[in-house]
Amino acid sequence: MPTTTMPTIPALADALPRVEDEIRKLATSSTLPIVNTFSGRITAAGGKRLRSVVMLAGSLALAGEITDRAVTAAACVELLHAGSLVHDDLMDNAVERRGVRTVNADWGPGPAVLVGDFMLARASQAALDSISPYAAGKLAAAVTDLVEGQVLEVLDLYDAHRSPDSALRSIALKTGALFRVGCVLAAHCASASEEATTRLSEYGAHFGLLFQILDDLLDLASTTERLGKPAGNDLRQGVYTFPLLRALTEEQRELLAVRGRGMGDAEVEGLLRELRGGRLVADTLAYCGGLAAQTVRALPDVPESEALGILRELPPAYLAWAESQIG
């Protein structure tokens, strides 16, 4: 969901370019030019920046302003996310992301690990230097969650009998953790109460799940043209996601159990057609509708504001956007 399609307010619109500037500074802060080249290229490719929108709107709703610390916190979370994508691309043997060649494709797997590590470490270092030891600790803990979520996913690769709960736990760690820590830092930068911090943290965790489940649905139900990558990419790589596992018939599950690692394009496309003709889309959208409502209910009990309104509108708006990308 491009941030340009979202309702915005002046304080938020002014802060987002500052986040981009800070991301660029952090990504190119190595003493080694070659590290800056690759790290800077990856972050310059952009993205939805939804983590920044949620963080900045949360901090604005709680404090009535977006401080320099909040901007830095948003940049740190985005850099951490970008570093994790470098590692994901390496594990997936991906050659391109958002129209840009991956680090592993251009420089090799070993250097890609190091560039990703630099970005993860730089995010925590910047938080320690410019925000607080508390913020640095929370970012480091989020890295632990990311690693554990990825390990769970790797353990379940090509497992047609993976449970939906296992898939949900993995994405709660991999994706939910980054939105959650962003909201914790937003509240920290706003000097919010413990109750408001807990509520905003829950909002981030729920929104992270919503975001990832819809992303996984689009991989199965959208088109290659809209996705910018082959539809069914997760299926081909043995990542059996929450929407897929809930939709599989026993016959389809057995097909994956027998043929999962060796499925050709024709078999993958045939399975995708069957899934799209079944309850996959309707059931997943219904589940996400409930999750969107749960996300909104988690919002802190603070005075009404435009920023709070953005946080309230974001989950259903993202759900509506994802639905528009199907088919």
Side-chain angles (χ1 to χ4, degrees):
M1 178 184 182
T3 54
T4 53
T5 67
M6 291 182 50
T8 190
I9 49 182
L12 189 56
D14 291 343
L16 286 169
R18 291 163 57 202
V19 172
E20 291 297 326
D21 288 343
E22 190 68 20
I23 293 170
R24 183 166 52 254
K25 290 176 186 176
L26 293 176
T28 58
S29 59
S30 172
T31 58
L32 302 177
I34 193 167
V35 174
N36 292 335
T37 295
F38 282 103
S39 178
R41 190 175 74 183
I42 293 300
T43 53
K48 299 181 182 72
R49 299 298 194 235
L50 279 176
R51 292 164 188 81
S52 293
V53 170
V54 169
M55 284 187 65
L56 297 175
S59 200
L60 183 59
L62 293 176
E65 63 175 343
I66 297 174
T67 64
D68 290 341
R69 292 204 313 162
V71 168
T72 298
C76 289
V77 171
E78 294 288 3
L79 189 64
L80 196 158
H81 172 57
S84 73
L85 294 182
V86 172
H87 289 160
D88 283 351
D89 289 339
L90 172 59
M91 294 184 68
D92 296 342
N93 292 314
V95 298
E96 188 176 289
R97 179 182 288 275
R98 300 181 187 129
V100 175
R101 293 271 293 176
T102 61
V103 181
N104 51 284
D106 271 1
W107 200 15
V113 172
L114 299 176
V115 170
D117 287 349
F118 165 77
M119 296 167 81
L120 298 180
R122 191 67 186 90
S124 292
Q125 181 185 20
L128 179 62
D129 293 343
S130 302
I131 306 174
S132 69
Y134 172 88
K138 289 297 181 182
L139 282 175
V143 174
T144 300
D145 287 340
L146 283 172
V147 171
E148 291 183 350
Q150 185 66 60
V151 169
L152 287 176
E153 186 174 284
V154 169
L155 290 174
D156 286 342
L157 287 177
Y158 293 104
D159 183 359
H161 299 287
R162 183 190 197 192
S163 71
D165 283 347
S166 177
L168 206 59
R169 184 183 174 205
S170 178
I171 63 175
L173 290 167
K174 281 186 64 178
T175 307
L178 275 184
F179 280 99
R180 183 176 67 247
V181 74
C183 286
V184 169
L185 295 189
H188 175 62
C189 292
S191 301
S193 68
E194 183 177 347
E195 180 183 357
T197 300
T198 299
R199 294 287 295 271
L200 195 62
S201 170
E202 291 174 358
Y203 175 94
H206 293 324
F207 185 79
L209 286 179
L210 175 68
F211 173 88
Q212 189 60 56
I213 291 170
L214 289 171
D215 192 64
D216 292 340
L217 174 62
L218 293 181
D219 182 72
L220 297 166
S222 190
T223 63
T224 297
E225 292 72 26
R226 283 177 170 166
L227 291 170
K229 61 181 180 179
N233 202 45
D234 289 336
L235 190 58
R236 289 179 173 86
Q237 294 176 346
V239 180
Y240 300 153
T241 58
F242 181 75
L244 173 70
L245 293 166
R246 295 177 79 241
L248 288 174
T249 65
E250 284 306 311
E251 183 179 356
Q252 291 165 343
R253 195 178 301 275
E254 286 308 308
L255 170 67
L256 287 179
V258 174
R259 292 284 301 150
R261 291 182 183 273
M263 288 179 72
D265 287 343
E267 287 176 294
V268 171
E269 290 166 9
L271 179 55
L272 290 176
R273 281 195 299 272
E274 289 179 13
L275 290 166
R276 292 164 185 167
R279 297 291 304 171
L280 168 72
V281 173
D283 285 353
T284 305
L285 290 177
Y287 181 91
C288 287
L291 189 53
Q294 186 179 10
T295 305
V296 172
R297 286 197 298 271
L299 281 170
D301 184 14
V302 295
E304 189 59 43
S305 65
E306 289 181 297
L308 190 67
I310 284 180
L311 292 174
R312 185 183 298 112
E313 293 168 23
L314 181 56
Y318 193 75
L319 176 59
W321 172 82
E323 187 171 2
S324 75
Q325 301 301 301
I326 293 172

